[in-house]
Amino acid sequence: MMLGGKYRFSERLAQFAAVELSSAVDTTTGREVSLERLPLSAAIPNALHKLQARLAAAQRARHDDLLAVLDSFEYAGALYVVTERVSGESLAARL
């Protein structure tokens, strides 16, 4: 399944409250990425605008200790946030 015109869905990784985390491949670069899916029905209407502004700011931020936000888009009633994929054990497993 293709999402956002260039992300090929790989697998669902986890569910956190209303957010679903999946892996995908950016078909333009071949890079593995993570997709966070938030149903728009779960978002507070006024908060959605603030979230989109924060995402735009996060896309401009660059630092070794920050997870890179690569893209965001709306599709089929949900907001998707595309981030770099980080390998290794989960924070839950580490704690």
Side-chain angles (χ1 to χ4, degrees):
M1 170 177 30
M2 291 291 285
L3 298 167
K6 65 178 185 176
Y7 302 104
R8 187 177 63 243
F9 176 85
S10 296
E11 67 176 310
R12 183 173 175 222
L13 300 172
Q15 179 84 33
F16 306 99
V19 176
E20 181 180 295
L21 180 63
S22 301
S23 65
V25 174
D26 181 336
T27 59
T28 62
T29 64
R31 182 179 185 178
E32 192 172 353
V33 297
S34 292
L35 296 176
E36 295 179 30
R37 179 185 177 274
L38 172 66
L40 294 176
S41 61
I44 300 168
N46 293 337
L48 185 58
H49 178 70
K50 290 180 182 180
L51 175 60
Q52 289 170 327
R54 287 181 186 158
L55 284 172
Q59 284 176 300
R60 292 187 302 272
R62 297 287 182 257
H63 190 278
D64 290 343
D65 293 334
L66 294 176
L67 185 67
V69 176
L70 306 172
D71 195 6
S72 63
F73 60 92
E74 290 183 26
Y75 175 76
L79 175 65
Y80 287 81
V81 177
V82 183
T83 63
E84 65 181 317
R85 178 95 160 104
V86 179
S87 60
E89 68 181 328
S90 71
L91 180 59
R94 191 165 181 95
L95 294 176

